[in-house]
Amino acid sequence: MPAIVKLQLSLETLAEAISSLDLTEKRQLQELIEQQIFEAEEALYEDDAETQAEIQAVRAEYSGGESVTIDEYLANCLEQR
């Protein structure tokens, strides 16, 4: 099990530490940060009432036949040819 260390650094100190990394390490850090941002944004969207209302509205459109998925649209286009 890896050890967990929590640090408090100023943004300037963090920027200096990042500057000292080589390109491969910077890319690894970028991937880690992007993944964490994605996960945080997903959590926000899941909890956002407006987003939930939009999702429900879209689901209602699909179930009511007002909208179709891209797969359904493409299948219909191919059938009409």
Side-chain angles (χ1 to χ4, degrees):
M1 179 177 190
I4 296 175
V5 178
K6 293 187 178 192
L7 299 173
Q8 290 188 352
L9 303 172
S10 69
L11 190 54
E12 182 179 309
T13 303
L14 179 59
E16 289 172 11
I18 292 169
S19 294
S20 71
L21 300 175
D22 66 31
L23 185 58
T24 301
E25 293 167 327
K26 286 178 182 175
R27 286 189 175 138
Q28 290 173 340
L29 180 59
Q30 179 183 16
E31 289 175 17
L32 175 67
I33 291 170
E34 287 175 349
Q35 181 62 36
Q36 290 186 4
I37 289 171
F38 174 79
E39 290 171 4
E41 288 175 341
E42 282 289 307
L44 286 175
Y45 292 143
E46 290 174 2
D47 295 337
D48 182 58
E50 184 178 331
T51 302
Q52 290 301 315
E54 290 175 11
I55 290 170
Q56 292 302 321
V58 169
R59 285 182 177 155
E61 288 177 6
Y62 280 111
S63 65
E66 298 172 44
S67 296
V68 295
T69 66
I70 189 70
D71 291 334
E72 292 169 335
Y73 174 79
L74 292 173
N76 288 337
C77 288
L78 291 175
E79 288 176 5
Q80 293 176 2
R81 288 186 179 188

